[in-house]
């Protein structure tokens, strides 16, 4: 292919790309996108040979079969091998793992965002493959919102992702008059929608909010968490104290007789138990604004003022981002947000109520099509064992130990082999020093990757995969669009699609027919599309036949065909007996006897405040007096394409940029642009300082996504060179209930770094050894 054009689709938008001599020459967002994401700029660097993996690779110590080879994992050189050799080695490692530990000994949770296509979805690919060979230990829930995912079904009887449309910002602009946004309304997070997006509509909704003059309160440590042209009142409680603000509002409503008792009576259970806690009848502590002032650092008057406005609004709305629950006891903020909306009786009203994981990922403006988009079927997993996703390091370090999860007492399995495709645990997991230790447990680690991420560098066998520019697929996110994604480039080097890699392994393990069903890429695509088209037809939506869709080669918008949808909450509001919720009581559970019966000391029967290990104002803050927020990166998706020019231009002196308040900076002799060391007793990383008044005092913020680049030292004395905040974060579960990630609960300190500034070698190729030199 000398020069060609193709339409490709990603989690952050659809683009027309022009290719010349196998290099991306031009990237043009779809004409159907009213507010395209700038992340598309990263596509220019997708074939950069400095970062791509060109050939299957095996770690030298592993290939030699050293008895203590696991100790050098992550530090070793790699030996380029042929596909035959690599696949043979991986197939026999899988066989050996099964023999030694059974299929439970294979960890295939393989969490990650991978790419957006329905067929080449790496996680579906790896799971289907492992299922065909007898199954694997899997994972439940996400890093994004585990606490919310587990608590929400107990409280309103629904899967979290079925209730993201409970609150639509367009409806808020139409009907709502007062919105409290915990975690803000972050525009740049809305660039990304899981599974793809064609038209970014959040800007539209923001403009409607501006026009409607809806009063918005943003509760967040960063001013930039709301669009600069949206007038908001910015409140800055200490991070991870949102629950205290919510409790004080609830206390105000109760003591000022502002609770909608009819609503409470008809639609909820257990308010009395919660009320006794609010008033301090059990513990002698009223959760009033004076109490909340001590916890949050916001004055009691300001909290009361906020509560008064909330209670007097015609249609008050409360929304919580995922960030708010990605912290210790994260379950409570979601439970309380629902409780507050119930107390003012606005749940189920048009434009009112509660928005869960409301603003990020465009959830609240896209809605979901009323039928199922088919994707590459994962099959059935014969192994029933799974772990909460963020407990991976605990699992590896503590085989046989027990832990709690959502009412169950479970045991960590003994893992012999990890297979990862489509994620970057050495980006996404907390306390990466701990993960480095844990990662030595299995005998074999296999990773499919297109680039030399830290995870690829911590593998024994690395299979090079194509990117979405090198294969055919289609994408359909949560909106009313379906977009083709066409092969624009030849496969980079010897890379293959995940599908072909798994076909190669399946063949060696005698299950090829079962895995592939004898179909190739285009036949799978056609099958998945036609099955989805039949699903759409059942609800009266007409999509063109596959050939027509594929030949046209452009996104289709079927919005005009989507029937008006009643949310289950508005049905419940209209007729609570006719449309009960799927909770034990059929109502909103302000008190859950189910959760109470679990007997957890860190998540009881009604929403409440629990003291936290890492909190400003707490005892640990004497040693580490700054709270570190590690938020999503604005200019990329997590760690993807971090090496690209568009990601690098926001770095400072080549390292991730950390934002801090000038007062905190000057107290430490830190100037704008300086290289700094962020540290605590779990680890340290370097970063480039940026001073700003748009961040509250005693808080620093550093985006995630800088490829992890640790030194050889491990543990608290280690230094990460590139600015990866997970060198510092705490690896504990949200609570005994959900065991979710608590990335945002993290205290640190920061100082100027005057030492020799080390090279960021994760951006250099790993060391290679030729097989003859072994
Ligand atoms: N401190 C802190 N940590 C966090 C968070 C935080 O807020 N703070 N947020 C958390 C959240 S919400 C999330 S969702 C996670 C995200 O964590 P991840 O989803 O693991 O991050 P990504 O960088 O998207 O990793 C995807 C990887 O898949 C690879 N990939 C892409 N396409 C393909 C493909 O077709 N095949 C294969 N085999 N590989 C492919 C990419 O190259 C990339 O390396 O991070 C979590 N970590
Ligand atoms: N550009 C871009 N967009 C993305 C992603 C990406 O990688 N890049 N990732 C996507 C994914 S996987 C997810 S899960 C979503 C995540 O969506 P979120 O979880 O909402 O995103 P974050 O960026 O972690 O946090 C948003 C803001 O919350 C504030 N915040 C943090 N802790 C607290 C707290 O305790 N209280 C309050 N009130 N505010 C707090 C911080 O100031 C932060 O900037 O974003 C998605 N959108
Ligand atoms: Mo996420």
């Amino acid at each position: 292919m000398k020069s060609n054009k193709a339409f490709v689709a990603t989690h952050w938008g659809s683009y027309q790309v022009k290719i010349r001599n196998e290099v991306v020459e031009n990237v043009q967002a779809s004409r159907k996108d009213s507010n395209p994401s700038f992340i598309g700029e990263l596509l220019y660097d997708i074939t950069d040979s400095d970062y791509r993996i060109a050939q299957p690779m095996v770690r030298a110590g592993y290939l030699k079969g050293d008895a203590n080879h696991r100790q050098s994992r992550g530090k070793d050189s790699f030996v380029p091998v042929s596909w035959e050799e690599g696949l043979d080695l991986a197939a026999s490692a899988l066989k050996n793992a099964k023999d030694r530990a059974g299929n439970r000994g294979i960890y295939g949770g393989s969490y990650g965002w991978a790419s957006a296509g329905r067929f080449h979805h790496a996680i579906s690919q790896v799971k289907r493959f492992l299922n065909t060979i007898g199954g694997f230990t899997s994972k439940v829930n996400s890093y994004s919102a585990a606490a919310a995912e587990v608590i929400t079904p107990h409280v309103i009887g629904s899967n979290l992702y079925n209730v993201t449309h409970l609150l639509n910002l367009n409806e808020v602009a139409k009907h709502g008059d007062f919105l409290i946004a915990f975690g803000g309304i972050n525009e740049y997070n809305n660039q990304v929608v899981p599974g793809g997006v064609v038209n970014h509509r959040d800007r539209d909704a923001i403009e409607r909010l501006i026009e409607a003059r809806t009063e918005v309160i943003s509760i967040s440590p960063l001013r930039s968490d709301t669009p600069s042209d949206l007038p908001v009142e910015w409140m800055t409680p200490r991070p991870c104290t949102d629950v205290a603000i919510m409790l004080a509002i609830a206390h105000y409503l109760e003591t000022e007789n502002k609770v909608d008792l009819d609503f409470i009576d008809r639609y909820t259970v257990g308010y009395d138990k919660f009320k006794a806690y609010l008033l301090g009848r059990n513990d002698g502590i009223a959760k009033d604004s004076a109490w909340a002032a001590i916890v949050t650092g916001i004055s009691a008057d300001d909290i009361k003022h906020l509560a008064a406005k909330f209670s007097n609004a015609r249609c008050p709305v409360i929304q919580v981002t995922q960030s708010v629950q990605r912290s210790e006891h994260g379950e409570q903020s979601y439970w309380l947000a629902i409780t507050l909306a119930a107390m003012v009786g606005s749940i189920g009203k048009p434009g009112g109520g509660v928005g869960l994981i409301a603003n990020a990922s465009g959830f609240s403006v896209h809605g979901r099509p009323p039928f199922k988009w088919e994707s590459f079927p994962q099959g059935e997993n014969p192994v029933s064992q799974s772990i909460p996703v963020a407990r991976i390091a605990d699992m590896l370090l503590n085989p046989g130990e027990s832990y709690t999860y959502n009412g169950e007492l479970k045991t960590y399995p003994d893992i012999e082999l990890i297979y990862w495709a489509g994620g970057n645990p050495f980006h996404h997991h907390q306390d990466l020093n701990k993960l480095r230790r844990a990662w030595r447990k299995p005998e074999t680690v296999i990773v499919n990757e297109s680039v030399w991420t830290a995870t690829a560098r911590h593998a024994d066998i690395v299979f090079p995969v194509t990117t979405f520019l090198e294969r055919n697929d289609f994408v359909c996110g949560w909106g009313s669009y379906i977009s083709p994604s066409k092969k624009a480039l030849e496969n980079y080097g010897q890379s293959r699609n995940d599908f072909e890699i798994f076909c190669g392994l399946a063949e060696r393990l005698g299950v090829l027919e079962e895995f592939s069903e004898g179909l190739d890429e285009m036949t799978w695509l056609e099958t998945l599309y036609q099955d989805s088209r039949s699903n759409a037809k059942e609800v009266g939506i007409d999509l063109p036949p596959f050939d027509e869709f594929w030949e046209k080669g452009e996104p289709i918008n079927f919005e005009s065909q989507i029937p008006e949808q009643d949310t289950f909450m508005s049905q419940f509001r209209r007729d609570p007996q006719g449309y009960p919720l799927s909770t034990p009581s059929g109502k909103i559970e302000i008190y859950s006897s189910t959760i109470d019966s679990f007997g957890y000391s860190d998540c009881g029967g009604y929403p409440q405040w629990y003291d936290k290990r890492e909190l400003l104002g707490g005892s640990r803050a004497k040693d580490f007096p700054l709270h570190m927020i590690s938020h999503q990166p604005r200019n990329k998706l997590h760690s993807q394409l971090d090496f690209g020019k568009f990601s690098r231009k926001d770095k400072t002196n080549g390292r991730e940029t950390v934002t801090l308040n000038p007062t905190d900076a000057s107290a430490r002799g830190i100037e704008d642009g300086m290289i700094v060391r962020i540290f605590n007793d779990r680890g340290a990383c370097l970063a480039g300082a940026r001073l700003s008044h748009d961040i509250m005092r005693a808080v620093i913020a550093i985006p995630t996504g800088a490829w992890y680049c640790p030194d050889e030292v491990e543990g608290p004395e280690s230094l990460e060179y590139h600015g990866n905040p997970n060198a510092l974060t705490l690896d504990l579960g949200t609570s005994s209930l959900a065991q979710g990630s608590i990335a945002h609960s993290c205290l640190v300190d920061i100082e100027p770094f005057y030492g020799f500034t080390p090279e960021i070698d994760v951006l250099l190729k790993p060391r290679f050894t030729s097989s003859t030199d072994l």
Side-chain angles (χ1 to χ4, degrees):
M1 278 186 221
K2 272 219 129 9
S3 167
N4 69 311
K5 276 187 180 173
F7 208 83
V8 297
T10 74
H11 289 293
W12 57 86
S14 293
Y15 300 86
Q16 170 99 50
V17 293
K18 203 169 146 200
I19 307 293
R20 190 180 296 275
N21 295 328
E22 293 303 307
V23 169
V24 179
E25 189 182 72
N26 186 265
V27 178
Q28 194 75 48
S30 163
R31 282 174 289 122
K32 294 187 170 144
D33 199 337
S34 57
N35 182 29
S37 157
F38 40 64
I39 298 176
E41 291 286 311
L42 282 172
L43 296 187
Y44 285 108
D45 297 310
I46 208 158
T47 54
D48 194 329
S49 59
D50 285 343
Y51 308 98
R52 286 294 296 265
I53 307 171
Q55 189 179 345
M57 299 279 170
V58 182
R59 194 167 64 73
Y62 184 82
L63 196 58
K64 273 195 287 190
D66 292 348
N68 61 348
H69 75 85
R70 295 175 303 164
Q71 296 314 314
S72 55
R73 191 173 281 146
K75 299 174 178 172
D76 214 349
S77 62
F78 283 93
V79 182
V81 298
S82 68
W83 273 106
E84 285 298 304
E85 197 180 346
L87 290 170
D88 286 348
L89 209 58
S92 78
L94 283 157
K95 237 193 250 150
N96 290 343
K98 273 170 65 120
D99 289 348
R100 276 205 293 265
N103 282 72
R104 275 170 66 96
I106 300 174
Y107 182 66
S110 194
Y111 181 80
W113 267 63
S115 55
R118 305 305 287 183
F119 173 59
H120 293 290
H121 180 235
I123 287 118
S124 302
Q125 293 277 345
V126 66
K127 290 189 175 175
R128 179 182 173 92
F129 164 69
L130 293 174
N131 282 337
T132 59
I133 63 164
F136 61 98
T137 290
S138 190
K139 61 90 186 164
V140 288
N141 303 131
S142 69
Y143 276 79
S144 317
E149 285 160 10
V150 178
I151 195 78
T152 308
H154 286 292
V155 181
I156 52 176
S158 172
N159 175 305
L160 178 67
Y161 299 98
N162 290 336
V163 295
T164 50
H165 61 279
L166 276 187
L167 187 74
N168 176 317
L169 275 190
N170 289 308
E171 294 287 304
V172 174
K174 228 189 272 174
H175 306 280
D177 56 342
F178 186 73
L179 165 65
I180 309 187
F182 285 93
I185 305 173
N186 200 319
E187 268 202 305
Y188 65 72
N189 277 357
N190 275 318
Q191 295 176 90
V192 174
V193 177
V197 49
V198 172
N199 186 13
H200 290 81
R201 298 169 57 176
D202 43 292
R203 178 69 331 226
D204 233 33
I206 299 291
E207 275 164 21
R208 284 185 209 184
L209 272 184
I210 297 171
E211 275 162 31
R213 295 171 190 269
T214 310
E215 188 170 357
V216 180
I217 312 289
S218 173
I219 299 204
S220 165
L222 294 176
R223 193 196 295 275
S224 53
D225 281 334
T226 46
S228 53
D229 57 345
L230 176 72
V232 299
E233 190 183 325
W234 182 36
M235 287 180 82
T236 56
R238 293 175 178 136
C240 308
T241 65
D242 304 85
V243 161
I245 300 262
M246 293 180 193
L247 283 170
I249 298 175
H251 186 274
Y252 179 94
L253 295 174
E254 172 55 39
T255 51
E256 298 289 320
N257 294 323
K258 298 279 194 182
V259 179
D260 183 338
L261 291 173
D262 286 341
F263 188 94
I264 291 290
D265 197 42
R266 275 193 86 184
Y267 300 101
T268 73
V269 291
Y271 180 68
D272 279 352
K273 288 201 169 64
F274 173 65
K275 178 175 149 185
Y277 167 75
L278 263 187
L279 300 177
R281 288 195 183 133
N282 330 338
D283 57 5
I285 303 168
K287 312 305 172 300
D288 58 11
S289 51
W291 167 82
I294 295 168
V295 179
T296 62
I298 300 282
S299 78
D301 279 351
D302 284 353
I303 297 174
K304 251 194 225 154
H305 191 61
L306 175 69
K309 277 192 183 168
F310 184 71
S311 66
N312 291 330
R314 185 176 33 80
C315 186
V317 184
I318 184 165
Q319 64 173 42
V320 271
T321 54
Q322 296 167 80
S323 56
V324 170
Q325 56 82 65
R326 213 176 302 116
S327 61
E328 216 185 341
H329 311 118
E331 294 87 353
Q332 304 303 316
S333 51
Y334 272 57
W335 202 348
L336 259 165
I338 297 167
T339 301
L340 272 180
M343 288 172 77
V344 290
S346 77
I347 289 189
K349 267 190 188 170
V354 61
L356 305 177
I357 61 173
N359 62 39
S361 309
F363 291 125
S364 61
V365 286
H366 288 292
R368 288 184 101 168
F371 63 89
K372 180 169 182 262
W373 282 115
E374 298 296 338
S375 53
F376 190 53
Q378 297 183 2
E380 292 287 315
N381 188 349
V383 174
S384 57
Q385 175 80 36
S386 62
I387 57 159
V389 68
R391 300 278 53 80
I392 179 169
D394 287 342
M395 167 185 76
L396 294 172
L397 289 169
N398 308 301
E401 253 181 46
S402 57
Y403 65 97
T404 63
Y405 172 74
N406 203 14
E408 292 174 69
L409 187 65
K410 303 184 73 167
T411 309
Y412 288 125
D414 197 343
I415 297 300
E416 273 284 317
L417 183 148
I418 295 179
Y419 203 132
W420 219 290
N424 188 359
F426 279 91
H427 146 69
H428 68 229
H429 192 63
Q430 284 55 68
D431 194 354
L432 290 176
N433 268 319
K434 178 174 160 192
L435 187 66
R436 276 161 103 186
R437 257 192 299 127
W439 202 255
R440 301 230 167 82
K441 166 70 183 58
E443 180 59 26
T444 304
V445 177
I446 310 173
V447 170
N448 293 4
E449 248 300 351
S450 54
V451 283
W452 281 112
T453 60
T455 300
R457 286 162 201 257
H458 281 81
D460 302 322
I461 302 172
V462 185
F463 289 127
V465 290
T466 52
T467 64
F468 50 84
L469 280 169
E470 293 144 68
R471 58 203 187 207
N472 294 302
D473 215 326
F474 67 89
V475 157
C476 34
W478 288 19
S480 55
Y481 285 88
I482 168 161
S483 181
S485 186
K486 293 202 168 185
K487 183 172 169 77
L489 289 164
E490 293 300 342
N491 288 13
Y492 180 84
Q494 297 181 20
S495 65
R496 293 183 180 176
N497 297 338
D498 290 287
F499 178 67
E500 286 153 7
I501 297 170
F502 291 123
C503 283
L505 290 172
E507 192 179 6
R508 282 163 175 77
L509 295 166
V511 290
L512 177 59
E513 183 57 31
E514 230 177 311
F515 175 72
S516 73
E517 295 183 26
L519 308 181
D520 64 8
E521 179 190 63
M522 284 314 289
T523 330
W524 267 112
L525 284 185
E526 182 165 357
T527 308
L528 298 177
Y529 180 92
Q530 295 293 19
D531 289 352
S532 306
R533 183 171 174 245
S534 308
N535 299 345
K537 197 149 198 107
E538 276 174 28
V539 290
I541 293 175
D542 261 328
L543 296 174
F546 181 72
D547 291 348
E548 199 181 315
F549 162 69
W550 196 253
E551 261 150 47
K552 204 149 180 248
E554 282 194 1
I556 298 170
N557 181 5
F558 53 89
E559 186 174 20
S560 61
Q561 298 188 58
I562 294 185
E564 277 283 304
Q565 291 172 70
D566 218 1
T567 68
F568 79 96
M569 267 299 172
S570 53
Q571 287 171 333
F572 170 64
R573 185 177 180 111
R574 212 172 39 242
D575 178 6
Q577 268 80 44
Y579 297 94
L581 301 183
S582 303
T583 52
S585 60
K587 295 183 175 187
I588 298 170
E589 302 225 334
I590 295 175
Y591 166 78
S592 160
S593 56
T594 311
I595 296 180
D596 204 7
S597 73
F598 299 158
Y600 298 148
S601 60
D602 51 2
C603 187
Y606 47 80
Q608 53 197 287
W609 168 258
Y610 294 94
D611 253 341
K612 314 206 182 302
R613 278 164 237 245
E614 311 243 339
L615 198 67
L616 293 176
S619 59
R620 223 176 113 78
K622 289 191 186 76
D623 296 326
F624 302 108
L626 301 175
H627 194 117
M628 182 181 79
I629 294 299
S630 47
H631 55 87
Q632 315 297 316
R634 62 185 280 282
N635 53 10
K636 57 182 173 274
L637 175 61
H638 306 301
S639 68
Q640 297 194 27
L641 302 168
D642 179 43
F643 55 84
K645 287 185 273 307
F646 188 68
S647 166
R648 288 201 197 190
K649 83 177 172 36
D650 284 352
K651 292 189 179 165
T652 304
N653 284 319
R655 284 149 231 280
E656 196 49 83
T657 302
V658 59
T659 303
L660 71 164
N661 188 286
T663 315
D664 297 317
S666 72
R668 293 165 175 78
I670 294 170
E671 287 166 23
D672 200 74
M674 248 185 189
I675 295 185
V676 290
R677 175 175 168 269
I678 312 172
F679 62 96
N680 62 16
D681 52 4
R682 291 180 286 271
C685 73
L686 299 182
R690 185 180 77 96
L691 311 194
S692 167
H693 288 285
D694 287 348
I695 185 163
M696 66 184 282
R697 283 182 60 179
V699 174
I700 67 167
I702 178 166
T704 56
W707 280 11
Y708 180 58
C709 186
D711 62 6
E712 295 265 321
V713 182
E714 288 186 22
E717 299 307 316
S718 70
L719 182 64
E720 197 279 335
Y721 299 158
H722 197 188
N724 186 313
N726 282 324
L728 300 135
T729 45
L730 177 60
D731 178 25
L732 278 178
T734 46
S735 81
S736 311
L737 187 84
Q739 299 284 8
S741 149
I742 60 166
H744 284 308
S745 289
C746 182
L747 293 178
V748 298
D749 204 349
I750 181 167
E751 63 184 13
F753 182 76
Y754 295 115
F756 165 74
T757 47
E759 175 121 58
I760 299 165
D761 38 25
V762 70
L763 296 177
L764 307 174
K765 285 220 185 289
R767 283 179 298 117
F768 297 123
T769 308
S770 113
S771 54
T772 47
D773 294 340
L774 276 189

